[in-house]
Amino acid sequence: MKTRYTYGGDEHIYVEMDDEMSLDAFFKSLSMSNAVRDAGIEGVTEICPANASFQVRFDPEVITPEAMMKKVQELEHKSADAEKRLKTRIIEIPVYYQDPWTHETLMRFRERHQDPSGTDLDYAARINGFDRAEDFIEAHHAQPWFVSMVGFVAGLPFLYQLVGREQQLQVPKYLRPRTDTPKQTVGYGGCFSCIYSVRGAGGYQMFGVTPMPIFDPEQKQSYLRDFMVFFKPGDIVKWKPINREEYDRILAEVEADTYVPRIAEVDFDLEAFNADMAGTNAKLMEALNVA
Amino acid sequence: MSLKVIQPGLSTSIQDLGRPGYFHLGIPIGGAMDRFALRVANMLVGNPEGAAGLEVVFLGPEILFEKDALVAVTGADLPAKVDGEPQEAWTAFEVKAGQTLSFDFLKSGARAYIAISGGLDTPPALGSRSTYPIGALGGIEGRNVQAGDVIPLGETEMIEPGLNVPAHLRRLPGTPAELRVLPGLYWHRLTAAAQEGFFDDDWSVALEADRMGYRFKGGKPLAFVDREQPFGAGADPSNIVDGCYSYGSIQVPGGLEPIVLHRDAVSGGGYFTLGAVISADMDLIGQLQPHTPVKFRKVDMDEALEARSARKKMLAAVRTHLG
């Protein structure tokens, strides 16, 4: 990993921890962006952590770009020393895989896809060496995921699976982006899963849909009372496959503003995870059983 | 007391100076694309510079006033009329209760700003009235203005009409429009020839040009330095591991058509960016119509900061002029 510093115009500093994705790069970017926030540097207006990079926006009338760059660079050693531990939460997200709504949408945009003859899941399964879409779905939800970035549009989480690199699922984005994606579609692009927080354009493959809103400017759901965006970087997600009946039941609760997602407080230790991935994940998921 | 929207125009939205602080959650700063024009319009009618006004794209709205107010129209040259009577641009004029504000066809520029004394008093969302339709935030119910909308006005003491900003204190893009760019971000991904070609080529504004971003076409495809794509980045040489996007940053999916992200930018994604349009030239982009010829000009940080300071001076000169 080699950190790269650069400017984004005269108002942004962009720091790339690594050009490839890894949990190490994610942890370093999260801890360094936290260090910049904690430093309370005058003139900083926004700090945006991403998967393996982060960005600082500043007011060049308050602090010169050069001085800002120096201050950010000085904080790198802090993040190197930071313990790779996180107090966070694991959230169970119900997913209706192979639902009728994303199916309708993917058929509508078939000519923009690598394989117009099948579905997004058939394609993803095949190129990842699975015989059946069901086996790919199993690989998608069996192990938990880290929210490694929130963004693109309002409240959309990017997720990175907590498995070794050889087990990572990889699927290219659509050849040409769609102009439509159903709200709360569970998508996939590169090595990232995502949940489309709102309806709109998108280039990720579509696997299913969750009935659980994750962005609501009206903040009607109990778990969105504090803020209209549900996810933050560092959250851990466990997908739970559901069928149509369960989907309809949860949707009814959502419409009555009574749905309560299953959430447990957990500690995540990167070194413990690297030493024993299966064991660490099993413990994380156990926490959900008592939530 | 309020305004009644009879015709909304093509794409008219309520905008102020935006909602900083939520870009890390994918909620962009938003606000007027041409901030200078909105600030000046507000000054002309005696409002705070950041009061909410209307951003009008290409085609003007028709608005019935239910109370007396001062109005100023700045930015694009979109001639205003009160009950059919032509009004001066960049000048405060009066509209009486019962009168209708309407517009002739656009003469130049792309976005006009309408400031009304008292400012538009719709409910703020996350500290701003700016409309962000993707997130259903701000404006009226999080959307653009529609026929039949009633827009509340803030209370204010009306100043005298007639304040005016002379031509040398207005700003519109030249032809070709020049956009100054500070190379950076993933600039190193381009070959030396592509780096030169980007600045040498003649570009023009494509049809896909909105508050999120402006697309440009006409230049040669950009070639990338050969590499094995990093894990997680995706197979196309223009892909990166999804990262943050800067306001003004220029992404070129597939190396084909550059897109400059603007006020309603997506906050991140998986395309390399070659640098960013400097902050001093962001307002100008909002005034570019499709098919406008454009040259990108390479600058360094010192030039970017000088240009920024020149913008500040021009704004200060307007403040001084208007007393």
Side-chain angles (χ1 to χ4, degrees):
Chain A
M1 266 202 295
K2 177 148 179 13
T3 312
R4 192 171 67 82
Y5 294 87
T6 177
Y7 293 105
D10 48 322
E11 292 184 339
H12 307 84
I13 281 170
Y14 186 91
V15 186
E16 187 187 61
M17 318 316 298
D18 200 353
D19 63 1
E20 62 176 25
M21 182 58 192
S22 66
L23 275 180
D24 287 308
F26 163 68
F27 260 79
K28 195 169 174 196
S29 111
L30 189 63
S31 78
M32 200 172 159
S33 59
N34 283 338
V36 173
R37 182 173 296 109
D38 295 345
I41 303 162
E42 209 185 334
V44 169
T45 57
E46 308 247 15
I47 300 166
C48 304
N51 297 304
S53 57
F54 70 97
Q55 175 173 277
V56 180
R57 183 162 186 254
F58 61 96
D59 180 347
E61 267 88 58
V62 179
I63 181 166
T64 65
E66 206 180 333
M68 187 69 224
M69 179 66 91
K70 204 157 161 266
K71 282 200 183 284
V72 173
Q73 286 174 336
E74 281 166 6
L75 290 166
E76 187 174 349
H77 70 276
K78 268 204 176 177
S79 69
D81 300 342
E83 288 191 75
K84 294 180 170 106
R85 267 188 223 160
L86 207 58
K87 269 201 165 327
T88 181
R89 55 181 185 167
I90 183 165
I91 306 127
E92 185 176 87
I93 305 284
V95 185
Y96 181 14
Y97 289 99
Q98 297 183 294
D99 66 287
W101 307 286
T102 57
H103 185 79
E104 184 279 324
T105 310
L106 67 88
M107 293 313 287
R108 201 151 32 100
F109 291 99
R110 218 63 215 134
E111 87 291 356
R112 302 185 184 207
H113 194 272
Q114 288 85 352
D115 180 10
S117 68
T119 66
D120 292 10
L121 264 167
D122 294 338
Y123 170 72
R126 193 176 70 243
I127 64 165
N128 280 279
F130 294 94
D131 290 336
R132 303 177 313 143
E134 286 69 22
D135 299 331
F136 179 88
I137 291 172
E138 166 74 21
H140 187 254
H141 68 69
Q143 300 298 322
W145 297 70
F146 239 114
V147 174
S148 51
M149 175 171 172
V150 177
F152 180 59
V153 293
L156 180 152
F158 289 80
L159 303 109
Y160 184 70
Q161 197 167 25
L162 285 165
V163 294
R165 178 162 297 182
E166 65 289 348
Q167 285 163 274
Q168 290 281 340
L169 306 169
Q170 286 202 79
V171 194
K173 297 163 194 173
Y174 270 48
L175 294 175
R176 282 187 299 129
R178 298 174 304 274
T179 53
D180 192 18
T181 310
K183 187 177 165 182
Q184 287 151 225
T185 289
V186 174
Y188 214 100
C191 62
F192 298 105
S193 208
C194 81
I195 306 172
Y196 283 91
S197 50
V198 294
R199 185 178 177 179
Y204 276 30
Q205 308 278 339
M206 297 184 291
F207 294 166
V209 69
T210 175
M212 176 181 159
I214 57 165
F215 171 74
D216 177 19
E218 294 181 31
Q219 298 180 261
K220 281 194 280 194
Q221 303 298 322
S222 61
Y223 57 89
L224 294 172
R225 290 274 147 75
D226 288 343
F227 197 63
M228 61 181 72
V229 169
F230 180 68
F231 284 110
K232 52 183 178 299
D235 281 342
I236 297 173
V237 163
K238 168 71 174 69
W239 308 115
K240 182 183 187 238
I242 56 169
N243 59 26
R244 179 64 190 258
E245 285 69 40
E246 289 166 292
Y247 178 89
D248 289 340
R249 183 178 55 74
I250 294 172
L251 194 65
E253 290 182 21
V254 165
E255 279 164 3
D257 304 337
T258 59
Y259 179 67
V260 182
R262 197 190 266 198
I263 301 175
E265 304 296 317
V266 290
D267 292 310
F268 183 88
D269 183 320
L270 185 59
E271 274 162 25
F273 171 79
N274 283 332
D276 177 13
M277 295 187 187
T280 307
N281 286 352
K283 254 188 235 160
L284 287 170
M285 293 187 284
E286 267 165 37
L288 274 176
N289 292 335
V290 293
Chain B
M1 296 302 276
S2 48
L3 308 173
K4 199 173 255 172
V5 179
I6 299 167
Q7 292 293 335
L10 189 65
S11 173
T12 299
S13 63
I14 296 173
Q15 302 293 344
D16 54 21
L17 296 177
R19 53 175 68 80
Y22 304 96
F23 207 34
H24 65 294
L25 298 172
I27 301 172
I29 188 164
M33 285 188 73
D34 184 347
R35 282 177 161 35
F36 175 77
L38 177 70
R39 283 176 184 275
V40 173
N42 274 320
M43 281 188 244
L44 287 167
V45 298
N47 287 346
E49 290 174 27
L54 290 172
E55 179 177 273
V56 174
V57 189
F58 304 146
L59 191 66
E62 196 178 328
I63 297 169
L64 174 67
F65 281 63
E66 293 186 334
K67 75 182 236 186
D68 298 356
L70 268 192
V71 175
V73 180
T74 62
D77 189 358
L78 185 72
K81 297 181 291 186
V82 176
D83 279 353
E85 280 297 306
Q87 306 294 321
E88 285 293 315
W90 299 80
T91 302
F93 55 87
E94 208 173 356
V95 184
K96 298 261 185 215
Q99 288 191 311
T100 299
L101 175 69
S102 64
F103 294 86
D104 275 337
F105 290 113
L106 180 72
K107 287 185 174 162
S108 67
R111 284 174 179 78
Y113 292 84
I114 309 174
I116 299 153
S117 53
L120 308 182
D121 195 20
T122 45
L126 301 178
S128 164
R129 296 184 169 87
S130 290
T131 314
Y132 174 53
I134 291 172
L137 292 173
I140 296 171
E141 296 163 3
R143 55 160 173 81
N144 285 351
V145 169
Q146 291 177 357
D149 279 344
V150 173
I151 306 176
L153 286 178
E155 286 301 319
T156 186
E157 302 249 320
M158 230 164 53
I159 61 168
E160 286 296 307
L163 277 179
N164 167 283
V165 170
H168 73 276
L169 292 177
R170 306 174 189 176
R171 192 182 182 216
L172 279 176
T175 314
E178 182 186 85
L179 298 176
R180 289 166 288 186
V181 171
L182 183 68
L185 300 167
Y186 291 85
W187 176 243
H188 60 281
R189 289 292 300 123
L190 294 176
T191 63
Q195 290 178 342
E196 253 178 63
F198 176 73
F199 289 111
D200 286 345
D201 284 353
D202 295 318
W203 300 91
S204 69
V205 178
L207 290 177
E208 301 88 344
D210 59 23
R211 294 185 44 82
M212 184 186 282
Y214 258 62
R215 189 184 281 258
F216 298 86
K217 58 183 170 46
K220 288 186 295 294
L222 303 179
F224 295 88
V225 175
D226 277 337
R227 70 166 175 182
E228 190 186 324
Q229 281 293 93
F231 174 76
D236 192 274
S238 69
N239 286 153
I240 57 162
V241 169
D242 292 54
C244 302
Y245 288 148
S246 308
Y247 295 109
S249 66
I250 306 171
Q251 55 181 270
V252 195
L256 298 174
E257 294 182 340
I259 300 167
V260 177
L261 290 180
H262 217 272
R263 310 293 185 199
D264 284 357
V266 288
S267 69
Y271 290 113
F272 97 106
T273 43
L274 60 78
V277 171
I278 64 174
S279 60
D281 287 351
M282 288 292 281
D283 283 353
L284 279 185
I285 295 175
Q287 296 301 350
L288 300 179
Q289 294 179 6
H291 311 302
T292 305
V294 170
K295 281 293 257 192
F296 294 105
R297 185 158 76 79
K298 187 176 176 177
V299 294
D300 61 20
M301 184 62 88
D302 286 342
E303 289 171 271
L305 294 177
E306 275 166 37
R308 189 180 165 95
S309 139
R311 306 313 325 146
K312 295 266 163 192
K313 279 186 189 135
M314 184 155 165
L315 191 61
V318 175
R319 288 189 192 119
T320 308
H321 172 80
L322 296 176

